[in-house]
Amino acid sequence: MTIDMEKNPDTQAHRKFEVTGKHLFGNLYGIDENLLKDSQRLEAIVNKAVEIGKMTLVSINTWDYDDGNGVSVVAIIKESHIALHTWPEGNYATLDVYTCGSNADPYGAFDYILKELKPEKYEKSFADRSYNDFFVGQSAESSPRDAMKVLKR
């Protein structure tokens, strides 16, 4: 069921709701194997990236896997998260920096981690995870973005 706001101006089905979401993620190749095994160094890099990205750290956890076969560092930040996963045997890592809100700088955090890891090559992608104008009366078949289009006609 959808409600046409122009035909039903008195309805309370619409409320303003906004999220600014920026999600940077990438695959990093050709990184020094010893660095990818160094959990303390990787945690320090992610911790500094939180600071550079103007984020608020809630917690940071680091896991070493199978005697040097990989490390995961996950920083939970007030704005969302940073996740770094490594595969030293392949000189490979993946990196996610996801922030909500307009004050954080996920690009600065991502680029700092790149600078520290020094990959020979990398792929960097961006997903806009933003959302606004939540429409309560939308049909199950339509997406929130479809509802926004209906409201803005």
Side-chain angles (χ1 to χ4, degrees):
M1 176 181 122
T2 59
I3 298 172
D4 185 333
M5 296 300 290
E6 290 180 22
K7 291 182 182 175
N8 299 300
D10 296 328
T11 185
Q12 295 298 311
H14 179 261
R15 64 183 169 97
K16 189 71 172 168
F17 180 78
E18 293 185 33
V19 173
T20 301
K22 300 173 189 168
H23 191 177
L24 290 164
F25 51 99
N27 301 325
L28 291 58
Y29 307 94
I31 302 168
D32 178 77
E33 180 179 354
N34 291 320
L35 176 56
L36 294 179
K37 291 178 181 181
D38 188 343
S39 59
Q40 290 182 331
R41 177 76 181 119
L42 295 172
E43 182 175 313
I45 290 169
V46 171
N47 204 24
K48 183 69 174 178
V50 168
E51 180 185 324
I52 287 170
K54 301 177 189 131
M55 302 164 191
T56 307
L57 184 66
V58 174
S59 69
I60 190 165
N61 291 296
T62 302
W63 298 269
D64 285 292
Y65 300 109
D66 301 325
D67 298 321
N69 287 325
V71 174
S72 291
V73 180
V74 178
I76 302 300
I77 54 174
K78 182 179 172 185
E79 300 79 7
S80 194
H81 72 272
I82 296 176
L84 174 64
H85 305 285
T86 75
W87 289 264
E89 68 277 15
N91 304 95
Y92 174 69
T94 62
L95 175 61
D96 283 47
V97 179
Y98 179 29
T99 63
C100 297
S102 57
N103 296 326
D105 177 15
Y107 294 96
F110 193 101
D111 291 344
Y112 172 76
I113 295 170
L114 278 180
K115 180 179 83 94
E116 292 297 311
L117 296 182
K118 299 177 180 72
E120 291 175 8
K121 69 175 190 168
Y122 63 89
E123 300 165 348
K124 180 178 177 181
S125 300
F126 173 81
D128 181 3
R129 307 287 300 273
S130 300
Y131 180 77
N132 60 44
D133 283 337
F134 182 68
F135 189 71
V136 176
Q138 71 183 359
S139 70
E141 295 83 35
S142 66
S143 73
R145 292 197 186 270
D146 291 338
M148 288 187 334
K149 292 175 189 169
V150 170
L151 291 171
K152 293 182 179 184
R153 283 187 192 162

